[in-house]
Amino acid sequence: MNTQVLCSLVAVGLVTAPARTSPAQPDYLDAKKPLETRVEDLLSRLTFEEKISLLHADAKFTTAAIPRLGIPRRWLSDGPHGVREDIGPDSWAPAGRTDDFSTAMPAGICLAATWNPGLGFDEGAAIGQEARWRGKDIMLGPGVNILRTPLGGRNFEYLGEDPCLSAQMCVGYIRGEQAQGVAACVKHFALNNQEYQRGTINVEVDERALREIYLPAFKAAVQSGGVWTVMGAYNQFRGQHCCQNDYLLNRILKDEWGFPGLVMSDWDGTHDTRQAALNGLDLEMGTGKKYDDFYLARPYLEGLENGEFPLAGLDDKVRRNLRVMIATGVLDPTRPAGSLNTAAHQTVARQVAQEGMVLLKNENHTLPLEVSKLRNIAVIGQNAIRLHAHGGDSSGIKAFYEITPLQGILNRAGKDVNITFSEGYGKPGGADLASRAIAAAQSADVVIYVGGLNHDKGFDCEGADRADMKLPYGQDELIRKVTAANPKTIVVLEGTIVEMEAWRDEVPAILEAWYPGMEGGNALAGILFGDINPSGKLPATFPKKLADSPAHALGNYPGTNGTVTYQEGLLVGYRWFDRKNIEPEFPFGFGLSYTTFEYSNLKLVPGDGTTEMLTAQFEVANTGAREGAEIAQLYVHQKNATQPRPERELKGFQKIRLRAGERQTVSIRLDKGAFAFYDADRKCWAVEKDEFQIEVGSSSRDLPLQGDFSNLHALTF
Ligand code: BGC
């Protein structure tokens, strides 16, 4: 095959790279050569214009091919719950294809609620395989912004309120995905904690909270996950947009953390050529201009030509783009081909859903339900039949199918029990719906109420925050009426955090199901009918009322005059509730099981005192009558710190599966990072010579094991 023919095949995507056996094979095509050798070789072959073409989009989700060198078009795709339907090329309208369905995984907050990094790996791997099948090179996820306010419109996509949990959960996902020859993209860097004025809001936060709360998941994504791409956030930080923020991108991400990959902008998150050129942006996407007019297109080229910007800066950006391309196998024939919607992928979707659902209340063993003891079940509530996978905006998935709660319940119990459905709420003229639901409740043995939120604008959806923490559509009143009609009402909530004060004492059981993806209904039925023992735990505090949560208590949400100041500093989520002694509705880390666990015998074994500080060993026993999984959590508190430190901070956890009666020793290793705070004056992490309290248990508010650890030598790093 001559080079020209080969190049055109590459360009149309029929082959991925020239044959490796060609005698004249250049270094950059030789998969055996070291990555940096390949990058430098390819860099040296690019013209000035070709280099520029790699730094910006040529359609909504692609960058230009360079056919003469066998560089194909790069395809990017959302992220993070599966491979999004194809968009564009030049607008946000769907491309209208019929081959762009994919497996819809549960929302990020549900994955976080599994507290199972291994499942994160499985989910990342499944999405990576589907991305390859769909021809994608970079997947725009995971999203790891910290849940600062329950109102955040994208809280459902993210991994909760805690830096340790979100860090561990994103690392597994990234590794799984990238093992498939796809680059992950951790987003949105950084401080994109609200949707209100997301494109302009300026975030002011002190250095400790930045380092200790808002950055750890990103740092872990880079240093432990090896993530290849990072997406800048829409908002500003300390007066500069995050996609062109010198401090975040150049100083922290690249200099301090040694990030070797590329920084891309969020779509239309670039605002200025000079800042984009100099402050660390490597790939500009989604700007509302003609592609040639993008800030990193012609204007950047002109600035390079007239000497305004150094050529070394251009090469650095190009290198980063090439590095990601080559590292993910874009130029190699051995790149995995991927697979789509396999049984294994469906199993992962179901597993994440069933491990992520959180049982919040279960009085008198209301759950699990026994089919043989039931004749009539009334399923009530619009979310029992509502499809969610396609909603929420950029994270929506065109799912192959979606098992709704009602379908799942029918699949599981429909043969043996009479199941009726009434919508209860959600349509105009709701009074009639409500009265029919109440009548259905009266004549049933048990009611399964499935309500909560949905992805409509203003609820769990990109682009806006929620107006309040209340259940919409008059559901508080409806639940009270349904429960009055039938006290055996199980409330299943889909969506993120809502207020439950109006009815939580009336109902015997509450299950948080988040957005559980396309196998969600089956997973839910598995839990309701006891095939699955629930094991999820809350990745965020559920306040009794909005005013209890820090940003709202302090009145510093959503900001004034375009700036939001995070006055609560480190006291985000449970750190605030613990400090202020506020009783939450359900605490961080909380979740019930159908069995019971007992903790005993905490031993603290000192490590080398420099890197490995301590191993905490303890026993967990399953003291109930059935197998179950427990998430053992370890929190650290420094006793006499010279700087303010939270009452307790999650520093380790482990999910363990135990048969009835079984007991297991759990070991959690803590390195120096678990004891450190960020010393803003000295610009480093510091561990003080002091006593630390270690607490272990089943939630942030149930920590039966406690011990003290003395650190004998101060450390900085
Ligand atoms: C979102 C990103 C997303 C991008 C592309 C933006 O509006 O903030 O998360 O990846 O669009 O769809």
Side-chain angles (χ1 to χ4, degrees):
M1 201 184 301
N2 71 36
T3 319
Q4 227 179 348
V5 172
L6 181 60
C7 287
S8 16
L9 289 178
V10 168
V12 296
L14 288 178
V15 297
T16 47
R20 281 190 303 165
T21 48
S22 149
Q25 186 189 42
D27 279 357
Y28 77 91
L29 289 176
D30 185 347
K32 293 200 199 74
K33 288 264 156 52
L35 175 62
E36 293 307 311
T37 309
R38 298 179 70 186
V39 169
E40 292 307 317
D41 180 49
L42 185 48
L43 181 70
S44 71
R45 293 165 193 269
L46 292 169
T47 66
F48 191 48
E49 285 74 16
E50 285 169 345
K51 287 181 181 178
I52 296 285
S53 78
L54 289 171
L55 308 185
H56 63 86
D58 76 334
K60 246 327 170 231
F61 283 91
T62 56
T63 64
I66 306 178
R68 80 175 179 91
L69 292 167
I71 296 180
R73 230 176 168 194
R74 266 181 304 176
W75 287 85
L76 291 70
S77 171
D78 286 301
H81 306 140
V83 189
R84 188 184 184 182
E85 72 192 307
D86 280 6
I87 301 292
D90 297 319
S91 80
W92 284 108
R97 302 176 69 107
T98 52
D99 59 353
D100 57 353
F101 292 83
S102 79
T103 299
M105 296 291 172
I109 197 161
C110 181
L111 176 64
T114 70
W115 295 59
N116 183 345
L119 255 189
F121 184 96
D122 295 346
E123 176 173 326
I127 295 174
Q129 285 158 12
E130 301 209 351
R132 286 305 309 125
W133 185 267
R134 295 263 312 272
K136 308 301 181 193
D137 303 299
I138 301 178
M139 286 298 296
L140 308 176
V144 301
N145 294 98
I146 289 289
L147 190 155
R148 174 176 182 257
T149 155
L151 303 187
R154 298 183 81 172
N155 286 347
F156 71 99
E157 276 185 63
Y158 302 146
L159 305 176
E161 74 185 19
D162 182 74
C164 170
L165 177 64
S166 54
Q168 290 206 31
M169 294 308 299
C170 80
V171 164
Y173 179 108
I174 290 164
R175 287 189 185 157
E177 185 161 88
Q178 294 195 161
Q180 314 310 317
V182 179
C185 176
V186 69
K187 67 189 189 183
H188 310 84
F189 189 66
L191 301 150
N192 183 184
N193 309 102
Q194 66 187 50
E195 290 297 279
Y196 180 77
Q197 295 182 340
R198 69 173 176 173
T200 54
I201 192 85
N202 175 41
V203 178
E204 294 291 337
V205 61
D206 68 83
E207 194 67 19
R208 272 193 70 192
L210 173 72
R211 302 287 184 149
E212 295 182 31
I213 304 288
Y214 295 99
L215 295 188
F218 291 100
K219 186 178 183 185
V222 170
Q223 296 192 334
S224 307
V227 75
W228 276 118
T229 79
V230 173
M231 186 190 295
Y234 278 133
N235 50 284
Q236 302 185 54
F237 167 59
R238 296 182 185 161
Q240 197 167 57
H241 271 101
C242 291
C243 294
Q244 43 193 55
N245 189 298
D246 180 59
Y247 188 57
L248 288 176
L249 305 180
N250 284 337
R251 304 291 147 244
I252 296 182
L253 177 66
K254 293 181 177 176
D255 293 350
E256 283 184 37
W257 299 350
F259 174 62
L262 72 85
V263 175
M264 73 177 75
S265 69
D266 200 341
W267 271 235
D268 211 13
T270 314
H271 302 273
D272 173 82
T273 295
R274 188 173 174 77
Q275 290 188 6
L278 300 178
N279 293 355
L281 185 68
D282 306 305
L283 176 58
E284 179 185 356
M285 300 298 298
T287 306
K289 293 171 180 280
K290 291 200 183 104
Y291 302 110
D292 273 350
D293 295 336
F294 273 33
Y295 298 99
L296 286 185
R298 194 179 31 77
Y300 182 43
L301 182 141
E302 287 167 3
L304 287 159
E305 277 175 345
N306 68 27
E308 190 187 351
F309 308 128
L311 287 173
L314 169 67
D315 280 356
D316 178 62
K317 291 181 197 305
V318 175
R319 250 186 215 108
R320 290 171 180 278
N321 278 273
L322 297 180
R323 199 174 279 136
V324 174
M325 198 184 283
I326 294 174
T328 50
V330 170
L331 303 180
D332 301 333
T334 49
R335 196 175 187 205
S339 55
L340 194 65
N341 194 30
T342 63
H345 297 175
Q346 294 168 9
T347 302
V348 173
R350 185 162 174 168
Q351 189 82 21
V352 174
Q354 65 200 22
E355 282 199 33
M357 291 184 188
V358 184
L359 183 61
L360 295 174
K361 181 173 181 185
N362 193 20
E363 251 173 31
N364 304 324
H365 303 286
T366 303
L367 290 173
L369 299 172
E370 273 185 65
V371 169
S372 59
K373 293 195 180 144
L374 298 171
R375 278 182 305 146
N376 296 299
I377 299 177
V379 176
I380 295 174
Q382 194 193 60
N383 271 348
I385 55 162
R386 189 168 173 134
L387 302 178
H388 297 296
H390 202 221
D393 211 350
S394 67
S395 63
I397 298 296
K398 199 159 128 187
F400 275 98
Y401 61 85
E402 185 175 344
I403 308 289
T404 61
L406 179 63
Q407 189 59 52
I409 292 165
L410 285 168
N411 291 348
R412 175 60 178 77
K415 279 201 309 288
D416 308 305
V417 189
N418 178 32
I419 294 167
T420 63
F421 169 70
S422 11
E423 199 161 343
Y425 71 86
K427 285 214 181 93
D432 190 34
L433 289 182
S435 51
R436 272 190 265 155
I438 292 158
Q442 264 158 359
S443 54
D445 301 322
V446 62
V447 175
I448 303 174
Y449 178 89
V450 191
L453 301 173
N454 56 47
H455 287 309
D456 279 357
K457 259 279 182 288
F459 298 143
D460 288 318
C461 185
E462 187 174 335
D465 291 332
R466 283 156 63 201
D468 55 44
M469 215 177 76
K470 307 233 179 251
L471 275 174
Y473 312 115
Q475 290 183 76
D476 280 342
E477 204 191 326
L478 178 64
I479 296 173
R480 286 176 67 90
K481 285 185 177 157
V482 166
T483 313
N486 188 333
K488 207 169 170 194
T489 293
I490 294 148
V491 174
V492 176
L493 294 173
E494 291 190 316
T496 55
I497 305 172
V498 291
E499 198 181 292
M500 303 183 199
E501 213 153 17
W503 44 265
R504 56 120 145 76
D505 292 336
E506 327 286 322
V507 304
I510 308 173
L511 181 72
E512 174 60 62
W514 315 111
Y515 295 105
M518 76 186 207
E519 279 288 333
N522 288 332
L524 174 67
I527 287 178
L528 294 174
F529 294 98
D531 311 327
I532 302 297
N533 191 350
S535 63
K537 302 236 186 188
L538 293 181
T541 307
F542 277 36
K544 282 189 195 298
K545 50 185 193 305
L546 188 62
D548 288 345
S549 74
H552 300 274
L554 294 170
N556 59 20
Y557 166 88
T560 35
N561 300 327
T563 290
V564 58
T565 305
Y566 291 4
Q567 280 163 308
E568 70 281 8
L570 298 172
L571 302 182
V572 175
Y574 64 91
R575 290 162 169 79
W576 170 265
F577 286 77
D578 288 352
R579 167 66 54 84
K580 302 287 172 189
N581 256 317
I582 302 168
E583 200 194 326
E585 189 68 84
F586 296 106
F588 174 79
F590 175 78
L592 300 170
S593 163
Y594 295 151
T595 186
T596 48
F597 299 99
E598 230 172 67
Y599 287 73
S600 61
N601 275 338
L602 175 66
K603 284 195 201 101
L604 302 178
V605 185
D608 61 16
T610 53
T611 312
E612 290 297 329
M613 301 293 279
L614 178 71
T615 300
Q617 283 175 0
F618 50 93
E619 283 176 30
V620 182
N622 181 342
T623 48
R626 56 174 295 169
E627 181 179 338
E630 167 67 336
I631 297 156
Q633 301 160 43
L634 184 153
Y635 295 81
V636 175
H637 169 65
Q638 183 176 350
K639 289 190 163 177
N640 314 293
T642 60
Q643 308 258 347
R645 302 212 61 178
E647 284 6 81
R648 60 183 56 80
E649 298 185 275
L650 182 77
K651 294 297 174 183
F653 59 88
Q654 200 166 307
K655 190 163 195 172
I656 36 175
R657 194 163 297 280
L658 295 171
R659 291 188 302 277
E662 196 185 353
R663 160 183 304 272
Q664 200 176 302
T665 302
V666 178
S667 291
I668 296 181
R669 280 163 50 167
L670 300 177
D671 66 10
K672 57 189 177 188
F675 301 91
F677 64 89
Y678 189 77
D679 187 329
D681 295 332
R682 290 191 288 172
K683 296 192 172 29
C684 64
W685 293 89
V687 183
E688 292 182 324
K689 176 172 178 292
D690 196 6
E691 292 266 298
F692 291 83
Q693 185 179 33
I694 309 293
E695 297 175 298
V696 172
S698 67
S699 89
S700 64
R701 291 264 169 135
D702 179 10
L703 297 163
L705 304 184
Q706 283 154 17
D708 284 346
F709 164 67
S710 300
N711 177 46
L712 302 177
H713 303 286
L715 293 170
T716 54
F717 55 97

